[in-house]
Amino acid sequence: MNNPSAEVKIKGKKMDRSLQQVNTILNLAKLTESDIKKDSHVLQFIPQILDSKQVKLLEVSKDTLEYINSGECLFIKGNEDAHVIICSNSNSFELKEAETSNSMLLMPSLLQGTLIEDTGSRTLKKQEVFGVYHTYYEMRLTRPKLQSLRNALAKYPYRGKNSEVIKEAVGQSFTELKVMIQASEEEIINQLQEMPAAKVRGKWRLLDVGFLFGWVSYLDSILREKKLSLEEVTLANIENWMGLYDTEDINAKCISLFMEVDGNSLRWKPEAVSQLFALYLLPELRAFDSKDFFTAWQQSMPVGVMTNEEHLNGVALVDYDSNPSLVKYLPEFELPEEINERLDILFRNRAKWTLQSITPYVQPLTDNNLNVAALLTKYARSSTINGVKYYSSKY
Amino acid sequence: MQIVIQSTGNITEYSMIEFQGDLETKSEEALGGKIIGDLHFNHEGNPIMIIGHHILHGKVQDLDKPLVVITKENDGISEINVKYGVTAVIKRKFIFKTRPKPIVGEMIKKL
């Protein structure tokens, strides 16, 4: 028979709790043993409870849990501003601390409890509690902050193999970029592929606009000399002709930036080339007489490539209200990443925008939660004039 | 600066009890080693908790989104490369949403 006041030692710590005591309390609570199941548990904190500075709780989606179980890493990337980003290999999330007025007791599965007493009809187990928490961290899918990537790569722009002065390789290694940029590895790789950036001697750098302009113009001059159009030549021809101009890697990057390659048939990408030429011509004079600009612009283009005012979207604004009308240099990548700051600059440059013209400036700021139209609805004002919808400043 | 979070290769499943309010000890002592209370289950499988002179009735609930427990791995060397290991996952909790009911009686042992 159990001695009601028996003390049972658990791992050297005295557990002065017995089934009789537990049952007494139960009865005082107006419950009887027949109201409850056989196993009762005494909850007890471990001697040294968990320190929330060392041990934290992170809420994850079921997909992320699977990702973690497969051994993959999550990366928390802080920055000077308040935004803390946490990334998997492919996605970026905002990391937010959630506070609750509830207490959360952390403990192992109830099956882990150690037996204190067993009368046959009832058992009493000790259930360890590791600690108490009031906060946990949440992950919210977000758009990665990539402007810092361009800024990092622009520190040492590549101007061609013959312009390389410094002996050591300059630029950022991919490993450095992974730590520095608040984005996932996949998002960084995709961005590097899309942007005019290349790896030179193992380090990533931005390709200088002047260099790219020179590359395209040089190839165009060869084609003109040979009286050939791009459609009539092969990749091998280009690699051959440009082989002396720059390295294989750089040439390959330029081809991918400015040409459509379909098997062995090649075409210039009109938008990419037009934008490049506009980016080259405009910065000299921030605002260009638009007639002069459009003429110079078209004249400088490779044979067969037609400019289109729409190609200026995201690069420059045509202001028809001024006299003479002007083309103003306003590249997307120079604008702030914060939505209100960006819209402020856009609306100061032009009061009313159509969706089509503002999209390239707003698109990079979208994420899973808000697309361009939703962002504009939230942060700008819309009006309809002659059946056309325009966006303007909210203020 | 980057903090890496990775599974330790050995993720156990933990449990959790959630209830309104805070736990207090008699004289503001540390919580370590203290007995919190008793946990029972009624025949419907719902948890019942007795803490101090309160009784709480709760439910077993699956978490919409699991919680993982991450533990700082102190290599002691640098603050630059901080690593946390994922040591446990919580998929279910015993949640006590109702207000605790006081237990009245002469012989209540304050814990």
Side-chain angles (χ1 to χ4, degrees), chain A residues 37 40-41 43 103 105 107, chain B residues 3 15 17 21 36 39-41:
Chain A
K37 288 190 175 171
S40 289
H41 311 260
L43 304 168
S103 293
L105 301 179
M107 53 191 207
Chain B
I3 297 173
S15 207
I17 290 177
I36 299 164
L39 178 67
H40 312 281
F41 288 86

Side-chain angles (χ1 to χ4, degrees), chain A residues 111-349:
Chain A
L111 301 168
Q112 305 290 322
T114 49
L115 190 64
I116 301 172
E117 202 180 322
D118 185 348
T119 62
S121 57
R122 292 269 288 134
T123 71
L124 185 63
K125 291 193 178 149
K126 186 184 91 154
Q127 175 69 11
E128 287 185 320
V129 176
F130 297 135
V132 56
Y133 284 80
H134 298 280
T135 60
Y136 61 95
Y137 291 89
E138 291 178 317
M139 291 170 61
R140 259 181 254 162
L141 195 63
T142 189
R143 168 189 75 83
K145 296 193 165 305
L146 289 166
Q147 197 166 56
S148 54
L149 176 59
R150 190 180 221 283
N151 294 338
L153 300 182
K155 268 187 26 205
Y156 297 100
Y158 182 78
R159 298 198 168 96
K161 68 177 183 184
N162 297 322
S163 302
E164 292 287 89
V165 189
I166 311 168
K167 259 212 311 226
E168 303 85 33
V170 292
Q172 306 288 345
S173 71
F174 187 66
T175 312
E176 285 168 342
L177 289 175
K178 275 200 289 183
V179 175
M180 208 195 306
I181 308 300
Q182 288 184 303
S184 70
E185 179 169 330
E186 214 175 273
E187 286 159 338
I188 294 174
I189 290 172
N190 287 339
Q191 187 69 3
L192 287 172
Q193 273 169 2
E194 273 181 38
M195 61 190 284
K199 208 153 119 178
V200 179
R201 289 182 285 163
K203 303 254 183 154
W204 285 91
R205 294 157 69 177
L206 198 65
L207 299 175
D208 178 67
V209 168
F211 166 74
L212 293 171
F213 176 81
W215 194 95
V216 174
S217 302
Y218 180 74
L219 178 56
D220 180 51
S221 70
I222 294 178
L223 290 168
R224 284 178 199 258
E225 199 189 293
K226 295 180 186 295
K227 296 196 170 45
L228 290 167
S229 73
L230 192 63
E231 286 78 355
E232 295 171 283
V233 304
T234 64
L235 260 181
N237 292 142
I238 300 189
E239 286 158 4
N240 199 9
W241 296 331
M242 303 307 284
L244 285 175
Y245 195 82
D246 218 286
T247 68
E248 215 179 294
D249 285 344
I250 297 290
N251 292 335
K253 179 70 190 190
C254 292
I255 290 169
S256 76
L257 284 173
F258 301 112
M259 294 181 207
E260 294 283 5
V261 182
D262 189 3
N264 228 353
S265 82
L266 303 162
R267 287 190 310 120
W268 289 112
K269 286 183 188 169
E271 186 169 342
V273 179
S274 302
Q275 279 196 357
L276 171 66
F277 280 49
L279 284 170
Y280 179 74
L281 294 171
L282 284 168
E284 286 286 311
L285 311 151
R286 288 248 140 184
F288 233 107
D289 177 304
S290 69
K291 266 225 301 281
D292 292 341
F293 170 74
F294 283 119
T295 309
W297 193 29
Q298 182 59 66
Q299 274 178 358
S300 63
M301 295 285 277
V303 176
V305 188
M306 302 307 289
T307 58
N308 185 316
E309 198 176 313
E310 272 175 27
H311 296 160
L312 290 177
N313 287 348
V315 170
L317 294 186
V318 187
D319 179 6
Y320 290 107
D321 291 331
S322 64
N323 196 2
S325 58
L326 293 173
V327 177
K328 282 192 271 190
Y329 182 57
L330 189 65
E332 184 275 321
F333 51 78
E334 281 189 5
L335 295 176
E337 260 188 318
E338 198 278 316
I339 179 75
N340 282 309
E341 284 174 37
R342 180 171 289 217
L343 286 176
D344 182 49
I345 292 179
L346 291 175
F347 291 131
R348 278 197 279 118
N349 273 282

Side-chain angles (χ1 to χ4, degrees), chain B residues 23 39 41 51 68 78 83 106:
Chain B
L23 287 176
L39 178 67
F41 288 86
I51 299 185
V68 292
S78 64
K83 189 152 186 231
E106 307 93 48

Side-chain angles (χ1 to χ4, degrees), chain A residues 21-39:
Chain A
Q21 289 171 320
V22 168
N23 290 336
T24 307
I25 304 281
L26 201 60
N27 295 333
L28 283 170
K30 310 264 197 323
L31 290 169
T32 68
E33 292 161 67
S34 61
D35 293 323
I36 59 173
K37 288 190 175 171
K38 181 183 179 200
D39 296 330

